[in-house]
Amino acid sequence: MELTWVGHATTLVDFDGYRVLTDPLLTRRVAHLRRRTAVPDADQHDIDLILLSHVHLDHLHLPSLKRLRPTSRVLTPAGSERLLRKAGFTDVTEVRVGDRIEAGPVTVDVVRAAHKHGRGPHSRVSAEPVGFVVDGSGRRVYFPGDTDLFDEMADLGHIDVAMLPIWGWGSSLGEGHLNPERAARATELIRPEVLVPIHWGTYAPENGRRRLPRWFEAPPIELRTELDAIDQLHRLGLLAPGDSMTVTSR
């Protein structure tokens, strides 16, 4: 299994040739945000399965989705199928917490996420956020989308790779997000073989300044400190946007 962190909450996981992409965000600009790292050339267009965790504009991003193959299978939270159909996708399945989906060679369990339901202030679309545990190639991978900490993280079973969000795209975080301290506590609950921090260091507001703000690069440094304090640092598998890692089968 090969995992590439594309950036933000977008990860490409290759299960022996079956390619799974999470929350695709592939454009240089998103509203007032500008991507500060290059979009990696990981051939995101050739995707078998797309996992969408919630309907916020930086996670269910229609311009990015329209760059992908419309015959890719899509799992999306209940209440959002119409958005995907209008974007041209033909194989869309709405999911709810507790669902188990067989997709090619992988099994996907739909799990809880603690996050806001709406799409944004100018949309009536609302859908319960979800996370995903994908089982394939002898490995189980946890992708929570955006979420806050919750006790049931301890009940996910054995997790080989947990891709946990640790920040966002601004100087502060609203309700329903993990910061480095809560991501470390989540790691202690989940106890994955490898923790890959995501949702940091990719987009920042366009403000004309050359220097990036401290919050852009600080989250993984703070996460390292928090993990070390609770004896979980050995689990950290830190990637930069565009980096990949190979995870061998048990």
Side-chain angles (χ1 to χ4, degrees):
M1 185 192 84
E2 184 173 66
L3 185 152
T4 300
W5 180 37
V6 177
H8 203 58
T10 309
T11 60
L12 175 62
V13 188
D14 189 320
F15 294 93
D16 290 330
Y18 188 83
R19 295 158 60 83
V20 180
L21 191 67
T22 66
D23 288 357
L25 193 60
L26 307 172
T27 57
R28 295 291 301 174
R29 292 183 179 274
V30 182
H32 66 297
L33 306 176
R34 180 165 65 88
R35 187 175 175 116
R36 304 306 177 96
T37 61
V39 179
D41 183 16
D43 192 15
Q44 296 96 356
H45 300 279
D46 185 17
I47 300 300
D48 298 292
L49 178 66
I50 301 167
L51 302 179
L52 300 176
S53 64
H54 63 291
V55 297
H56 283 171
L57 293 171
D58 59 327
H59 289 258
L60 197 164
H61 185 245
L62 293 175
S64 294
L65 286 162
K66 289 177 180 178
R67 297 184 175 197
L68 305 176
R69 179 161 47 87
T71 55
S72 301
R73 186 170 186 186
V74 184
L75 304 186
T76 191
S80 59
E81 178 179 359
R82 184 178 178 185
L83 293 172
L84 279 302
R85 297 286 184 186
K86 289 180 67 175
F89 287 90
T90 57
D91 188 357
V92 182
T93 302
E94 289 194 336
V95 297
R96 295 174 172 81
V97 174
D99 286 350
R100 171 169 287 185
I101 308 294
E102 301 293 335
V106 305
T107 300
V108 182
D109 287 310
V110 184
V111 299
R112 179 190 170 198
H115 196 58
K116 293 181 180 180
H117 291 212
R119 182 156 172 80
H122 305 297
S123 173
R124 295 182 180 180
V125 175
S126 181
E128 181 182 12
V130 298
F132 300 96
V133 176
V134 186
D135 192 332
S137 300
R139 290 295 184 182
R140 298 182 80 237
V141 179
Y142 174 45
F143 171 69
D146 276 355
T147 188
D148 211 330
L149 187 70
F150 55 93
D151 291 340
E152 294 91 333
M153 286 181 172
D155 302 327
L156 295 172
H158 180 84
I159 298 294
D160 292 287
V161 181
M163 303 181 291
L164 297 184
I166 63 170
W167 200 252
W169 48 258
S171 59
S172 62
L173 287 173
E175 181 182 355
H177 294 86
L178 293 175
N179 62 14
E181 185 270 333
R182 292 197 295 277
R185 289 164 57 194
T187 302
E188 193 171 31
L189 289 175
I190 301 165
R191 306 187 75 81
E193 296 295 325
V194 181
L195 160 66
V196 177
I198 62 172
H199 210 270
W200 66 275
T202 311
Y203 290 88
E206 181 68 270
N207 55 17
R209 298 177 184 175
R210 290 188 176 184
R211 292 188 62 181
L212 288 168
R214 180 184 179 278
W215 57 259
F216 189 83
E217 297 176 333
I221 299 170
E222 297 173 4
L223 176 65
R224 182 182 291 274
T225 299
E226 297 289 347
L227 291 170
D228 192 34
I230 57 174
D231 197 27
Q232 298 293 313
L233 185 57
H234 62 284
R235 303 187 189 278
L236 181 62
L238 185 61
L239 299 176
D243 284 353
S244 300
M245 66 167 58
T246 299
V247 184
T248 56
S249 298
R250 291 190 296 274

